[in-house]
Amino acid sequence: MVDFAGALRDAIQARGLGLERIQERLRAEGYSVSLATLSYWQTGRSRPERRESLAALAELEKILEVEPGSLAALVGPPRPRGRHLHKSQDTRELGAFWSERDLIADLAQGIDTRWDERLTRLSQHDRVNVGPDRGEVSFLVRQVLRAEADGPDRWVVILRLDEQEHPLPLLTPVRNCRLGRVVEHPESGLLLAELLFDRPLAKGETVITEHALHNYPPFPTATNYERKFRLPVREYVVEVCFDPAALPRAVYQFQQMDGQDEQVVTMEMDVGHSVHAIALDYGPGRYGLRWDWE
């Protein structure tokens, strides 16, 4: 019996279309599916299971000129995933608190996310540098993680650039990590990447990593910085450093715990032209700083 991956490969071969052309046709109809996802579908590494993916599959059947529902019928029920079998009911999906959660789930199929829930976030410090032209120049991220099982060997980075017409930033490992697989989706400004540790961690072991993100000039205008926590963090520090030539009119700290209303507090800038906020035992939720220019 032909399975979904085999039927999809046969249909693509019979239609004579490359994956790039199929992606373009899907995008023209309003469906955003990465090349990696299409490749994984036809090799059997993954299959469409989420609402957005199944909707794209229906359009894919039209593009490949196969009988409507013939590929969808081979998908079957959602498969239990190894790292999900032990999850508590309170664990949020990888794209929690992102408006593009289904797209993130699809893009994440191109990287290894199995260890994400086995790493406790002990501390995280984000520092944002804003240039004299009010642009987002760079970000430096330092974090302390603890393994809750033997084996974690990587951290997953998810970033979204607000100005989607701007090139995605350059991600650079700084300390105790190196760059693994990277999945980019410029149309939505999304970047997902693996930061590989020097070696797998043993249960109870901790690691300190640092990585930087550098935007390309002309830098996108900076108006806010937000961190989304699908899992809680013991300590979170967010710091924004402004150039003396471009100081905002006002800065606000905002936070929104899962299921609650957003809370906003006005912040004061220090003599070094920077602002920071600290959250303890925070999440799940979103937390950050935003500011107004003159």
Side-chain angles (χ1 to χ4, degrees):
M1 179 179 179
V2 179
D3 61 5
F4 170 74
L8 179 59
R9 285 196 305 272
D10 291 344
I12 291 175
Q13 184 176 5
R15 188 72 173 87
L17 295 175
L19 295 186
E20 292 84 357
R21 181 57 179 156
I22 292 174
Q23 183 191 40
E24 292 174 1
R25 294 277 296 273
L26 287 170
R27 185 184 299 124
E29 298 299 325
Y31 299 98
S32 180
V33 181
S34 69
L35 290 176
T37 296
L38 290 172
S39 176
Y40 295 156
W41 286 357
Q42 71 167 348
T43 60
R45 181 171 175 178
S46 66
R47 63 190 188 188
E49 295 179 348
R50 297 179 179 275
R51 182 181 65 256
E52 182 178 288
S53 297
L54 292 173
L57 179 59
E59 183 61 33
L60 182 58
E61 292 173 337
K62 297 178 183 178
I63 295 171
L64 298 178
E65 298 180 354
V66 299
E67 184 178 351
S70 60
L71 292 177
L74 298 174
V75 172
R79 295 173 294 184
R81 303 175 187 269
R83 73 182 185 90
H84 289 156
L85 297 179
H86 62 268
K87 286 170 46 173
S88 71
Q89 294 182 346
D90 292 333
T91 302
R92 276 69 179 172
E93 59 187 313
L94 189 67
F97 309 109
W98 296 82
S99 58
E100 308 89 349
R101 64 174 60 195
D102 288 334
L103 176 57
I104 289 175
D106 280 340
L107 297 177
Q109 295 180 53
I111 59 177
D112 187 350
T113 63
R114 58 183 163 148
W115 295 114
D116 193 60
E117 291 162 17
R118 297 300 186 93
L119 290 166
T120 294
R121 286 77 166 153
L122 296 179
S123 177
Q124 181 150 0
H125 185 167
D126 295 341
R127 189 172 76 225
V128 184
N129 293 306
V130 180
D133 59 352
R134 303 180 178 182
E136 296 177 348
V137 177
S138 63
F139 312 86
L140 179 65
V141 178
R142 174 187 177 275
Q143 56 197 1
V144 182
L145 305 168
R146 184 182 67 211
E148 302 304 334
D150 292 336
D153 63 352
R154 69 198 64 203
W155 171 261
V156 177
V157 175
I158 303 178
L159 174 137
R160 181 182 181 275
L161 197 64
D162 289 337
E163 296 190 15
Q164 298 171 13
E165 69 280 0
H166 195 277
L168 290 170
L170 174 66
L171 194 160
T172 305
V174 175
R175 183 184 179 198
N176 295 334
C177 60
R178 64 187 188 279
L179 193 60
R181 286 171 289 187
V182 178
V183 177
E184 297 182 344
H185 194 266
E187 299 91 334
S188 63
L190 279 168
L191 179 151
L192 282 72
E194 300 170 339
L195 288 178
L196 307 178
F197 306 150
D198 294 333
R199 58 178 174 78
L201 302 179
K203 182 178 181 180
E205 194 172 6
T206 57
V207 64
I208 301 173
T209 68
E210 293 182 3
H211 67 274
L213 293 144
H214 298 271
N215 278 316
Y216 297 94
F219 302 115
T221 302
T223 59
N224 69 88
Y225 183 84
E226 176 181 307
R227 173 68 65 175
K228 297 174 174 62
F229 295 99
R230 76 184 188 99
L231 296 171
V233 61
R234 294 280 187 87
E235 176 201 61
Y236 176 58
V237 180
V238 56
E239 178 184 13
V240 181
C241 303
F242 296 96
D243 190 283
L247 300 179
R249 179 184 62 83
V251 182
Y252 310 92
Q253 179 266 316
F254 64 91
Q255 66 182 61
Q256 185 175 22
M257 294 283 280
D258 192 17
Q260 300 181 13
D261 294 334
E262 183 182 75
Q263 300 178 29
V264 181
V265 178
T266 302
M267 303 293 291
E268 295 293 332
M269 190 174 304
D270 61 29
V271 294
H273 311 299
S274 67
V275 179
H276 74 272
I278 301 174
L280 300 177
D281 296 319
Y282 187 81
R286 41 191 289 274
Y287 191 98
L289 295 171
R290 65 171 67 109
W291 49 92
D292 296 330
W293 298 107
E294 290 291 352

